[in-house]
Amino acid sequence: MSLSPELISYLESLPEPHILFDRGYRILAANAAYRRAFSPEGSALGRTCYAVSHRFEAPCDESGESCPLARARESGRRERVLHLHHTLHGEAYVDIELTPVRDASGAIAYYVEKMQPLGSVRASEGGERLIGRSEAFRSLMALISRVAPSDASVLLRGESGTGKGLVARAIHEGSNRASRPLVVVDCASLTESSFESELFGHERGAFTGASAARAGLVEAADGGTLFLDEVGDISLAMQIKLLRLLESGTWRRVGSTELRRADLRIVSATHRDLHSMIADGRFRQDLFFRLEVFPIHLPALRERREDIALLAEALLGRLAPRRALALSGDALARFAAYDFPGNVRELRNLLERAALLCDGARIELSHIDQAMESCRPWRAGGENPGAQEASPPAATTLAALELAALDEQLRRHHGSRAELARRLGISERSLYRKLRALRATQASDNGTPKESEPG
């Protein structure tokens, strides 16, 4: 069946990248937006979609990916998935929407696929972007791609240092408000007396020092997104005023009786347990329900260890762009076995210290050891820097910390030693050497003789 000129013209008129392919996955047409982003000079025509987008030799569902065509063939309706695609600028996460096209008899003849790249996300590149390939990261991206085009309020929950600010930016840039401002309110840094003025603005003479009228952050965000970072730190009195804004879209400047309106999308974030705060009377339940229309949990770095190497590479490129620094295998293995209580922020700090300690082009394990040494008392004591005084940690050296981390990995791992070595990013020989050291340490702690070292 030949393609009609009207169908080709329709595809070309669409601003987003679109392709049309047959039941055998063969690309029959690609519009200009697709060619600019994915395939110059129409080089995708005649090839299969999975070969062009993924470099696969078989369809996605036979290569470990979710295949929208297979799902549409089964359901007979439009399907949507998030895929990692090859583009002219490297790999990128792309929101896929596939629609079956039926012929006069009602049978599916073609499929039209619309692609929407997630602008603030990368699979492996640097810059101030979300980076990752792990399953936990991809699940996070799928939620972002779902909620970003809407106006729903989003509550980002996760530990400090997991990148909540970057996720908020990704949501904003994936929305219809991307051309309007993303305004950040750092709730943790504002006192109760300054919060209302910062958020809503004030009139001249409203309070001592208000020598001129001043617009607030709500006005600055009009038409765009207001990001309330660390929303759990807002006082109860200010929570009432924020609730009024969310319910009615209206507010008043401090010192004014004039009611103003704003068109806002609210994204908020916290590392606190808001449910416990509600139970304790420290957070309003009605405000919580306004904020948590679409909750997103951000995984800790220890929940996405597969991304550590990608993150380290990108962070080093940002921290020392002229040096082309790389991590040695042993240095990367140390990171892979470490739980990073400070998450990506802690990884960045360790890499910056190690880069300053390194004179060559490769950061070795010794540089990582030295970088970690400066924060060892804090890590050993947990979140409270003084905790170690009340309960001294059992592991008092970096070597002991590494062995303790390896012991924890062994308890969690149920596969082969070869699989564990691959997961840690080290050779099997290095793994066995570390296991011998672990057994020797445990034997010493138990008062039993050490095993003889094999030759």
Side-chain angles (χ1 to χ4, degrees), residues 320-326 361-362:
R322 299 179 181 178
R323 294 181 62 186
L325 285 172
R362 190 168 73 164

Side-chain angles (χ1 to χ4, degrees), residues 154-156 163-169 171-172 181-187 199 217 221 224-231 264-270:
V154 180
L155 177 61
L156 307 176
K164 293 188 282 291
L166 291 177
V167 172
R169 179 165 295 280
I171 291 170
H172 173 71
L182 168 66
V183 175
V184 179
V185 182
D186 185 0
C187 301
L199 198 64
L217 297 176
T225 302
L226 188 70
F227 174 42
L228 302 171
D229 196 13
E230 294 304 342
V231 72
L264 298 172
R265 201 264 181 87
I266 302 294
V267 177
S268 53
T270 184

Side-chain angles (χ1 to χ4, degrees), residues 118-345:
L118 301 186
S120 290
V121 186
R122 292 289 182 270
S124 59
E125 294 180 13
E128 292 289 341
R129 302 286 182 175
L130 291 162
I131 296 171
R133 302 175 66 97
S134 66
E135 189 59 38
F137 183 83
R138 297 177 76 155
S139 296
L140 170 64
M141 293 306 103
L143 291 175
I144 291 173
S145 70
R146 285 282 179 176
V147 75
S150 75
D151 268 342
S153 296
V154 180
L155 177 61
L156 307 176
R157 296 187 292 191
E159 297 175 9
S160 294
T162 48
K164 293 188 282 291
L166 291 177
V167 172
R169 179 165 295 280
I171 291 170
H172 173 71
E173 292 186 357
S175 73
N176 295 328
R177 301 173 179 267
S179 62
R180 302 294 295 164
L182 168 66
V183 175
V184 179
V185 182
D186 185 0
C187 301
S189 68
L190 296 175
T191 64
E192 182 171 336
S193 59
S194 66
F195 184 88
E196 186 175 10
S197 175
E198 286 292 318
L199 198 64
F200 302 124
H202 60 257
E203 297 294 347
R204 180 182 177 183
F207 49 84
T208 303
S211 57
R214 180 174 177 270
L217 297 176
V218 169
E219 284 183 76
D222 191 21
T225 302
L226 188 70
F227 174 42
L228 302 171
D229 196 13
E230 294 304 342
V231 72
D233 290 350
I234 301 177
S235 71
L236 282 169
M238 291 302 102
Q239 288 176 31
I240 296 172
K241 296 180 182 295
L242 180 59
L243 178 63
R244 187 177 302 122
L245 171 67
L246 269 59
E247 286 181 338
S248 65
T250 63
W251 85 100
R252 291 183 177 89
R253 286 183 178 180
V254 178
S256 172
T257 59
E258 180 187 353
L259 195 65
R260 298 171 181 264
R261 293 187 177 276
D263 172 25
L264 298 172
R265 201 264 181 87
I266 302 294
V267 177
S268 53
T270 184
H271 72 283
R272 300 188 182 278
D273 184 351
L274 295 185
H275 291 284
S276 296
M277 292 180 68
I278 291 170
D280 295 342
R282 291 178 292 137
F283 201 87
R284 295 181 61 94
Q285 188 175 53
D286 47 5
L287 176 59
F288 172 78
F289 287 132
R290 283 284 180 178
L291 297 173
E292 200 200 34
V293 175
F294 195 92
I296 297 180
H297 168 73
L298 275 66
L301 188 53
R302 62 184 173 275
E303 299 175 90
R304 42 181 294 226
R305 295 180 189 273
E306 306 97 304
D307 295 332
I308 290 176
L310 292 173
L311 285 164
E313 180 183 1
L315 288 168
L316 284 174
R318 195 183 311 157
L319 292 168
R322 299 179 181 178
R323 294 181 62 186
L325 285 172
L327 284 170
S328 71
D330 285 342
L332 190 57
R334 172 63 56 83
F335 279 161
Y338 178 51
D339 274 349
F340 286 100
N343 294 295
V344 179
R345 188 178 296 129

Side-chain angles (χ1 to χ4, degrees), residues 357-430:
L357 294 166
C358 174
D359 292 323
R362 190 168 73 164
I363 295 176
E364 303 290 350
L365 180 58
S366 60
H367 301 126
I368 300 300
D369 285 346
Q370 195 174 352
M372 296 180 82
E373 180 70 24
S374 62
C375 61
R376 178 175 58 83
W378 172 81
R379 292 202 328 272
E383 290 192 357
N384 179 4
Q388 59 178 3
E389 297 177 7
S391 178
T396 57
T397 68
L398 286 171
L401 285 169
E402 181 186 18
L403 292 178
L406 178 59
D407 190 31
E408 177 66 19
Q409 291 295 315
L410 281 171
R411 284 197 295 269
R412 295 179 181 179
H413 184 71
H414 302 293
S416 68
R417 294 291 166 83
E419 290 172 346
L420 179 59
R422 284 195 297 273
R423 178 180 174 183
L424 296 176
I426 60 177
S427 67
E428 288 188 58
R429 183 179 180 85
S430 295

Side-chain angles (χ1 to χ4, degrees), residues 11-12 14-18 30-39:
L11 289 176
E12 286 291 348
L14 298 173
E16 305 90 356
H18 280 74
N31 70 356
Y34 178 89
R35 295 193 296 273
R36 286 193 298 270
F38 299 98
S39 177

